[in-house]
Amino acid sequence: MGPVLAGVLQLLALIGALALAYIPVGNYMARVYSSTKHLRVEKWIYKAIGANPDAEMTWPAYLRGVLAFSAVSVLFLYLLQRLQGVLPGSMHFSSVNPAQSFNTAVSFVTNTNWQSYYGEQTMGHVVQTAGLAVQNFVSAAVGIAVAVALVRGFARSRTGELGNFWSDLVRGTLRILLPGAAIAAIILVACGAIQNFSGIHEVGQFMGGSQQWNGGAVASQEAIKELGTNGGGYFNANSAHPFENPTPFTNLFEIFLILVIPFSLTRTFGVMVGSVKQGYAILATMGVIWVGFVALMMATEFAHHGPALQAAGAAMEGKEVRFGVGSSSIFATSTTLTSTGAVDSFHSSFTGLGGGVAMLGMMLGEIAPGGTGSGLYGMLIMAVIAVFIAGLMVGRTPEYLGKKIGAREMKLAAAYILVTPALVLVFSAASMALPTPPHSMLNSGAHGFSEVLYAFTSAANNNGSAFAGLNANTDWFNTMTGLAMLFGRFLPMIFVLALAGSLAEQKPVPVTAGTLRTEKPLFTGLLVGAILIITGLTYFPALALGPLAEGLA
């Protein structure tokens, strides 16, 4: 079997598995967030934190809950790292320095999981499990909660109430992410991933000599890092490490974990707004972009330009040979089109155009299918913009799901799509202009610029993957990427929740002959076009200086 055919067959198997999970997972999540009953353990949690889960919240109150919980989480994780040297289970690792502690705390709380350190040489068992793994759960649950609040804004009318943040947070963690991750961890352990709390061992090498290696609760963290589209690896090699990702089957299974919740949330959206066809339209938009990017990535990585690539049969540099180019292309595309950041190969070693495809996937806003929750609310923002464009073309007040898209709604949507590109481009420009940051670049020219552009694209879009070749463990990059992650996570959430509140206050608009049918293929095509054009116009100059210049050289 040729490598191209193997990659295509893996892609078809993955699509089949996602199709089988779509309806049951999507319907289950809709029931979770629509139920009025509370589990006993949930009641204990509400009592412990002093929250009333039945109290409805307006968008400012919902936002205060998101920000307060996230601020406490950043502080807790920061202190946990700073105190690591005196904690049990630290494996004699010292406390993490302040700049890196700040960066890592922000990274995991914002669902970015950017890592400027070697996990197996920096973090002990307590920080990995009580700190990083916990944030993998709750940061993902926060993203789903904000998406559900926006869906309620479309579904409700004549009220400013969007549900209860604390209830949504707890339910998402206990009813969706925790059982899903537990099942996934058992499968990973059965397939060879490690799960222990062992110390440091001397491990022999094939070429002679030895190295030190430690164990850890790897399978459980691997499961939630993929299911929650987090991406932080227990080891520096991330999902290319055999302890995290032992076989080609686990590799494909981890891609499935990355995609299953973001894709299935479109079904949840359709059920909660009372029209599953609307969910299918959003699903089709996500699916078209995802499949298109996978095909484009495979084409660039299987292209045989130059004698080295021709001899190898593909661009093999930086790829995990256990999985092959096809599987690595699917993984890279899926992880950059979501907010995952996990890698099973080194993106810096991809072809120039292949690296550009990965970067563009993040620049789209990670909406195809995007992160847990963030992908859905990002896509719905783009749907609002597409409806507005269609309204301008026919001279009619735009409507979406029975809600008028007026000046206030468009200002909030425009602010949402502008904030992330502004962060990426401003921070990248500052890093290239100042004298010190370029010393972190191991490569010069277009590829070196791509490393910096990729870093801030990954940080501001809360992805977390790295291009490699850039030493980001400096005070400048730890601080600047930390700020990019903070602003890139919470500023868009402010606009999303404000939009949700504005929509929920409206009364429904009746459907007429002039209403744009947003469940039809025509709207899907319009939405795909709007996404690609808006992103292309925003980022094209920067891409032309980096991956396009390198790929066309």
Side-chain angles (χ1 to χ4, degrees):
M1 181 186 298
V4 177
L5 178 58
V8 171
L9 291 178
Q10 289 181 71
L11 178 62
L12 293 176
L14 179 61
I15 293 173
L18 291 169
L20 290 175
Y22 177 72
I23 292 178
V25 174
N27 288 351
Y28 173 72
M29 289 191 290
R31 290 195 299 271
V32 166
Y33 290 107
S34 301
S35 174
T36 58
K37 297 181 179 180
H38 307 294
L39 302 178
R40 181 175 297 179
V41 65
E42 294 172 350
K43 293 178 180 178
W44 294 343
I45 295 174
Y46 299 139
K47 186 175 181 179
I49 64 177
N52 179 4
D54 298 314
E56 290 282 341
M57 293 179 171
T58 59
W59 79 264
Y62 204 100
L63 176 63
R64 285 195 296 271
V66 170
L67 297 180
F69 177 76
S70 300
V72 171
S73 297
V74 169
L75 179 61
F76 172 78
L77 189 50
Y78 176 84
L79 292 176
L80 199 63
Q81 295 174 83
R82 296 293 293 137
L83 296 172
Q84 176 174 250
V86 298
L87 293 175
S90 65
M91 295 190 294
H92 305 293
F93 292 148
S94 61
S95 298
V96 184
N97 70 65
Q100 195 169 69
S101 293
F102 164 74
N103 183 278
T104 304
V106 168
S107 176
F108 278 77
V109 171
T110 58
N111 200 241
T112 310
N113 301 72
W114 169 273
Q115 294 172 291
S116 60
Y117 58 88
Y118 296 101
E120 65 270 29
Q121 299 176 14
T122 307
M123 304 296 184
H125 292 317
V126 173
V127 175
Q128 289 272 22
T129 54
L132 306 185
V134 169
Q135 288 305 317
N136 282 348
F137 283 96
V138 295
S139 65
V142 168
I144 302 177
V146 173
V148 169
L150 179 58
V151 173
R152 292 190 184 116
F154 283 110
R156 296 179 177 183
S157 58
R158 298 185 178 91
T159 177
E161 298 173 341
L162 301 175
N164 185 283
F165 168 70
W166 304 107
S167 175
D168 292 339
L169 172 68
V170 171
R171 289 181 178 190
T173 302
L174 296 185
R175 301 192 194 184
I176 298 173
L177 296 171
L178 193 59
I183 295 171
I186 292 171
I187 294 174
L188 289 173
V189 170
C191 293
I194 70 169
Q195 181 77 7
N196 56 55
F197 289 102
S198 68
I200 297 175
H201 302 276
E202 287 286 337
V203 180
Q205 297 176 310
F206 288 114
M207 302 300 292
S210 64
Q211 66 182 113
Q212 291 185 333
W213 213 263
N214 58 280
V218 175
S220 57
Q221 189 157 324
E222 189 75 10
I224 187 55
K225 95 170 188 185
E226 312 293 20
L227 186 65
T229 61
N230 296 281
Y234 202 100
F235 300 103
N236 183 54
N238 209 280
S239 292
H241 198 291
F243 286 179
E244 293 192 23
N245 192 2
T247 67
F249 170 78
T250 60
N251 189 67
L252 200 62
F253 178 62
E254 289 183 15
I255 303 174
F256 170 81
L257 292 177
I258 291 171
L259 299 172
V260 64
I261 289 181
F263 272 129
S264 298
L265 274 172
T266 62
R267 175 73 180 190
T268 304
F269 160 69
V271 172
M272 292 184 70
V273 299
S275 173
V276 294
K277 291 183 179 180
Q278 297 289 345
Y280 283 127
I282 299 298
L283 172 67
T285 304
M286 292 178 173
V288 166
I289 296 174
W290 176 68
V291 171
F293 269 63
V294 170
L296 191 59
M297 180 67 84
M298 283 190 178
T300 62
E301 296 309 298
F302 280 117
H304 301 166
H305 299 301
L309 300 186
Q310 291 176 359
M316 287 301 298
E317 180 189 348
K319 306 297 193 305
E320 172 53 70
V321 294
R322 293 176 300 151
F323 309 140
V325 172
S327 189
S328 293
S329 298
I330 300 171
F331 200 113
T333 304
S334 299
T335 197
T336 50
L337 279 172
T338 63
S339 64
T340 309
V343 295
D344 73 347
S345 53
F346 285 97
H347 294 179
S348 184
S349 294
F350 278 44
T351 61
L353 294 178
V357 172
M359 207 179 304
L360 182 60
M362 294 185 290
M363 290 172 173
L364 292 183
E366 297 175 325
I367 53 178
T372 48
S374 61
L376 178 61
Y377 65 65
M379 182 60 80
L380 292 178
I381 293 290
M382 293 304 305
V384 167
I385 293 173
V387 166
F388 180 76
I389 293 172
L392 290 178
M393 290 191 290
V394 299
R396 178 183 170 86
T397 301
E399 305 165 8
Y400 186 54
L401 299 178
K403 302 296 177 70
K404 287 187 176 182
I405 308 302
R408 172 178 168 79
E409 288 75 23
M410 275 310 301
K411 288 177 182 177
L412 292 170
Y416 177 94
I417 65 171
L418 289 174
V419 63
T420 305
L423 292 171
V424 173
L425 298 176
V426 169
F427 280 124
S428 296
S431 296
M432 296 302 296
L434 294 176
T436 303
H439 293 305
S440 295
M441 296 160 47
L442 301 183
N443 297 282
S444 59
H447 194 82
F449 173 70
S450 293
E451 293 171 357
V452 175
L453 179 63
Y454 192 105
F456 285 107
T457 301
S458 178
N461 285 282
N462 301 130
N463 181 272
S465 64
F467 215 40
L470 177 72
N471 176 23
N473 188 18
T474 65
D475 287 345
W476 169 265
F477 281 108
N478 276 328
T479 303
M480 292 302 105
T481 55
L483 293 175
M485 288 184 279
L486 273 177
F487 295 143
R489 175 71 163 178
F490 296 112
L491 285 179
M493 282 185 174
I494 293 173
F495 303 130
V496 169
L497 291 173
L499 176 62
S502 178
L503 295 171
E505 292 172 352
Q506 293 187 27
K507 60 181 180 181
V509 178
V511 176
T512 66
T515 301
L516 176 65
R517 301 295 296 274
T518 53
E519 76 281 9
K520 297 293 184 178
L522 176 63
F523 178 71
T524 297
L526 174 65
L527 184 51
V528 170
I531 292 167
L532 296 178
I533 291 172
I534 291 172
T535 303
L537 292 176
T538 303
Y539 286 106
F540 180 78
L543 290 170
L545 292 173
L548 287 178
E550 181 185 358
L552 297 176

